[in-house]
Amino acid sequence: MASNRSVRRAQEPVTYTCALCDSGDEVRWYCNDCQENLCDRCKDFHIRAKKTKNDDVVPIGDANRQGDKPVPEVCKLHSGKLCDLFCSDCNELLCGICLSKTHKNHNWEPFEDEFSSKRQHLKEHMTAISAKIEHFKNETSERHHDNDGFNDNIDTVRKEVNSKRTKLKAEVDSIADAILAELSALEKEESAMYKKDCQRSEKKVEELTRLLNEAEMTDTSSVSLFETERSLRTKLPLYDVNVRYVSPKQPRFVTESIDRVMLTKTFGKLHHVIQYEKIDIDSKHVQRLSKFTVIQHNLIFGICPVDDSHAWLAIKQYQGLVLVNKEGVVTETVKLNFCPFRITMVGATDILLTSYQDSTFVYKLSLHKKQVTTFADIRRHTACDVSINEWGEVFVTTGTPDIVVLNQSGTIIRKVTIGLERIKHVVCLSSGRLCVVQTTGGKWTDMNIKITDESGTVIQTWTGELDNGQKVGRMHLWKMSCDKYDRVFVPDNHNNQVYVLPRDGKQAMCLLDKTHGVVKPTVLGVDTCGNVWIGCEDGTVHVMDCNMKK
């Protein structure tokens, strides 16, 4: 608190003297340009004078400078009193009457003392602002520099890609030119043989025609008949019709399918660190867009969204695939001679399928031709779940610790073995990573999820840890899916739940609550808009809009 002397000084009325007439009466004005106090009479003279008529004359309480001495404002509660005190407790200016009435026991300081402190703080703030401005200018400059470097690197990589494309095209052209040159040589050789064979036959025809003419001109009643007959008997054996020319073997061009994986390895691929936007799902705002059942009480085995409003369904005991919209309206069906189990899209034109009858085959359905062909036979293994990565490699689980990897021709190119546990499901993530569900014991409810690299090395393991600090016990995890952010959506048939496992996290969150009414989920898929299609054991499909927030 201030001293009694300061209080008395604060309570004294503030008086000013006019700078022009030295009067102390009615000094209510201040010239900001001349830095002078003015009474009413001198103020009128001041604003009429030729040199000062444009000066900034304001009420003395609104003065904005007076040398180095601060000018307090007039109290809004007590007319004629200046706010020449500052209450530290209330952080406000006040006059002597305010002090005596409502701030008497508060900590306060004279206006001039606090003004100096505030001015110093203002300078410090200004210095801090200037430093921050400089920081962000430097940051912007660095960002410009990084952007220029990034774009230069893109241009360099682009040139390398185009150079590799030119070289690869040149190699293809060289191979094609060699084949075409070989074809030209064969054509030239056949042309020469053709000409020679035709000339030889034409010569024989000419000679035989001459012999025939001679025979026809022979007088059959004379001795010349004997000579002609003897001559023909000698010459005719020279023209053996049983000896034929050898027909040329027709050249055949055996086309080979393009192995995109091998071509990618030959050409090269882009390696970069994927920067993922930090986006979370707010489970409290998950909304069900629709709910429908296509075939009553039949378990949903597979869901393949094709856009933001349609998905293919594989249904238990149904020999075919069904295309439905979000309202459950069937827009297309494809009949098959087996019941499909797991399905995955290959681009937008084909679907890979496995069979529910423990088959060793992986099938391919052409949506354009509506034809099913055998894509691969992984005999000695059973084809269970199937997924495809960004390079076109196909991963097939076998109910063992082994995953069979196929190229786009359906040829086994390698196997991936993950531990000693059985692998039930697989989903391919970006950058060659895999997400697999493994059974850790004899029961289907003893499960975990492993994230591995493309060689099967485990990167992280999830055993039921949740973001709320709890841990799920028994789980029956079914067919998973992932979105464009590499978040894995996992249906738990035992707990009527869908877990969301973030890309870089070891803790999952629960997507559903009781209000959503999802019972016994068995499979799900994520469409292009991030909507989650959940298929259930009773044949019901729920389409969920997951509210995503940054």
Side-chain angles (χ1 to χ4, degrees):
M1 290 182 124
S3 64
N4 292 332
R5 181 179 177 184
S6 298
V7 173
R8 289 195 299 271
R9 185 182 66 180
Q11 292 176 338
E12 295 174 357
V14 179
T15 60
Y16 295 101
T17 302
C18 179
L20 299 183
C21 66
D22 294 329
S23 171
D25 297 330
E26 298 178 335
V27 181
R28 293 192 289 256
W29 305 95
Y30 183 79
C31 178
N32 285 326
D33 293 301
C34 300
Q35 297 188 9
E36 293 177 342
N37 299 326
L38 299 172
C39 64
D40 290 347
R41 186 171 59 84
C42 292
K43 174 254 185 181
D44 292 337
F45 173 76
H46 197 79
I47 61 177
R48 287 198 304 268
K50 184 176 181 180
K51 291 183 178 181
T52 59
K53 65 179 180 178
N54 294 322
D55 284 2
D56 183 23
V57 179
V58 297
I60 200 167
D62 296 335
N64 59 16
R65 66 179 184 272
Q66 189 174 349
D68 292 330
K69 182 179 179 181
V71 179
E73 64 181 21
V74 177
C75 182
K76 298 178 181 179
L77 299 177
H78 307 102
S79 178
K81 300 294 289 182
L82 294 180
C83 293
D84 53 357
L85 302 172
F86 179 79
C87 179
S88 302
D89 294 340
C90 302
N91 194 30
E92 63 180 52
L93 295 170
L94 47 101
C95 69
I97 299 176
C98 294
L99 174 65
S100 63
K101 287 187 174 182
T102 57
H103 300 266
K104 187 174 183 179
N105 295 320
H106 293 184
N107 293 309
W108 57 272
E109 296 290 341
F111 171 77
E112 294 88 347
D113 296 343
E114 189 63 27
F115 187 87
S116 299
S117 175
K118 295 296 185 186
R119 180 157 51 188
Q120 181 61 33
H121 290 163
L122 180 62
K123 290 180 179 179
E124 293 173 358
H125 291 325
M126 293 172 64
T127 301
I129 291 173
S130 298
K132 290 181 183 293
I133 291 174
E134 188 64 24
H135 168 80
F136 287 115
K137 283 184 177 179
N138 292 336
E139 188 178 77
T140 302
S141 177
E142 291 177 4
R143 190 65 184 88
H144 287 320
H145 176 74
D146 291 343
N147 180 257
D148 292 340
F150 185 87
N151 290 334
D152 290 341
N153 182 67
I154 290 292
D155 290 339
T156 301
V157 174
R158 184 177 287 113
K159 290 177 181 178
E160 292 175 355
V161 170
N162 286 326
S163 175
K164 193 62 178 288
R165 174 164 57 184
T166 300
K167 292 179 181 179
L168 196 57
K169 283 183 175 180
E171 290 295 331
V172 173
D173 288 343
S174 176
I175 294 172
D177 289 343
I179 295 175
L180 294 175
E182 188 176 359
L183 288 174
S184 297
L186 291 174
E187 184 181 35
K188 184 177 181 181
E189 181 181 352
E190 164 60 14
S191 177
M193 293 296 296
Y194 165 75
K195 184 177 181 180
K196 182 178 180 181
D197 290 340
C198 289
Q199 288 176 346
R200 183 170 57 249
S201 297
E202 290 172 356
K203 182 178 180 182
K204 289 180 179 180
V205 168
E206 182 180 348
E207 291 174 352
L208 289 170
T209 301
R210 186 168 58 252
L211 290 177
L212 179 62
N213 290 334
E214 289 178 358
E216 290 177 346
M217 295 176 62
T218 301
D219 185 358
T220 58
S221 61
S222 65
V223 177
S224 60
L225 172 67
F226 292 92
E227 295 178 356
T228 301
E229 189 275 335
R230 185 173 58 250
S231 175
L232 292 178
R233 187 171 64 248
T234 304
K235 293 180 179 180
L236 280 178
L238 300 178
Y239 301 94
D240 188 356
V241 296
N242 294 319
V243 179
R244 297 178 56 83
Y245 71 89
V246 179
S247 300
K249 293 184 178 181
Q250 300 293 332
R252 185 168 62 92
F253 181 65
V254 181
T255 60
E256 297 289 344
S257 61
I258 297 176
D259 190 334
R260 184 178 179 84
V261 176
M262 185 61 67
L263 187 62
T264 299
K265 291 180 179 179
T266 303
F267 188 87
K269 60 185 178 182
L270 189 65
H271 286 277
H272 64 104
V273 178
I274 302 176
Q275 296 178 337
Y276 286 85
E277 191 176 8
K278 178 64 177 177
I279 295 182
D280 298 322
I281 293 180
D282 187 350
S283 61
K284 295 181 181 179
H285 293 88
V286 173
Q287 296 180 350
R288 185 170 60 199
L289 299 177
S290 63
K291 174 185 176 182
F292 58 85
T293 302
V294 178
I295 299 177
Q296 193 69 24
H297 306 306
N298 279 9
L299 185 151
I300 306 297
F301 276 146
I303 294 181
C304 266
V306 295
D307 51 33
D308 61 352
S309 59
H310 292 81
W312 287 98
L313 304 181
I315 305 170
K316 184 178 180 180
Q317 296 180 350
Y318 181 73
Q319 292 189 340
L321 293 179
V322 179
L323 182 65
V324 297
N325 62 18
K326 282 193 293 191
E327 287 69 42
V329 178
V330 177
T331 60
E332 190 175 348
T333 59
V334 177
K335 294 294 184 179
L336 306 172
N337 59 4
F338 63 92
C339 294
F341 184 46
R342 302 302 183 198
I343 58 177
T344 188
M345 293 291 299
V346 183
T349 59
D350 301 310
I351 296 179
L352 293 181
L353 316 90
T354 60
S355 172
Y356 184 58
Q357 284 81 21
D358 292 331
S359 172
T360 64
F361 295 105
V362 178
Y363 302 95
K364 178 185 280 189
L365 168 64
S366 170
L367 295 176
H368 175 66
K369 298 180 180 179
K370 300 297 186 294
Q371 292 181 347
V372 176
T373 58
T374 299
F375 176 72
D377 184 356
I378 59 170
R379 194 157 302 183
R380 294 180 61 189
H381 292 287
T382 299
C384 299
D385 194 13
V386 60
S387 184
I388 186 168
N389 70 7
E390 56 194 319
W391 300 298
E393 295 177 328
V394 179
F395 291 74
V396 184
T397 64
T398 61
T400 71
D402 296 330
I403 296 177
V404 175
V405 185
L406 313 170
N407 61 17
Q408 287 191 337
S409 300
T411 303
I412 297 177
I413 56 177
R414 68 179 186 276
K415 292 181 181 179
V416 176
T417 302
I418 304 173
L420 301 175
E421 303 162 6
R422 290 176 295 167
I423 299 174
K424 187 178 180 185
H425 305 298
V426 62
V427 61
C428 295
L429 307 176
S430 63
S431 304
R433 300 186 308 143
L434 301 176
C435 179
V436 299
V437 168
Q438 289 188 296
T439 57
T440 60
K443 298 179 180 179
W444 282 114
T445 51
D446 296 333
M447 293 187 168
N448 63 31
I449 290 180
K450 284 185 169 60
I451 307 295
T452 77
D453 61 17
E454 57 187 0
S455 67
T457 302
V458 177
I459 301 172
Q460 68 185 63
T461 302
W462 183 73
T463 57
E465 296 81 5
L466 300 178
D467 59 353
N468 59 9
Q470 298 180 356
K471 183 175 179 178
V472 184
R474 300 173 63 192
M475 298 183 293
H476 191 183
L477 307 181
W478 284 57
K479 176 57 179 174
M480 309 170 292
S481 185
C482 66
D483 65 5
K484 62 181 179 180
Y485 301 107
D486 265 3
R487 291 174 302 197
V488 182
F489 293 75
V490 189
D492 182 355
N493 184 265
H494 180 71
N495 296 300
N496 300 324
Q497 186 55 256
V498 172
Y499 307 115
V500 184
L501 188 64
R503 182 179 191 272
D504 298 319
K506 294 184 179 180
Q507 294 180 336
M509 66 160 290
C510 295
L511 183 70
L512 308 174
D513 57 37
K514 294 181 179 179
T515 62
H516 297 119
V518 176
V519 179
K520 299 290 185 181
T522 57
V523 63
L524 52 82
V526 183
D527 66 24
T528 55
C529 285
N531 297 322
V532 181
W533 298 59
I534 306 172
C536 299
E537 194 171 310
D538 63 355
T540 303
V541 177
H542 304 260
V543 183
M544 298 292 185
D545 176 15
C546 297
N547 179 35
M548 298 183 183
K549 63 178 183 179
K550 297 182 181 180

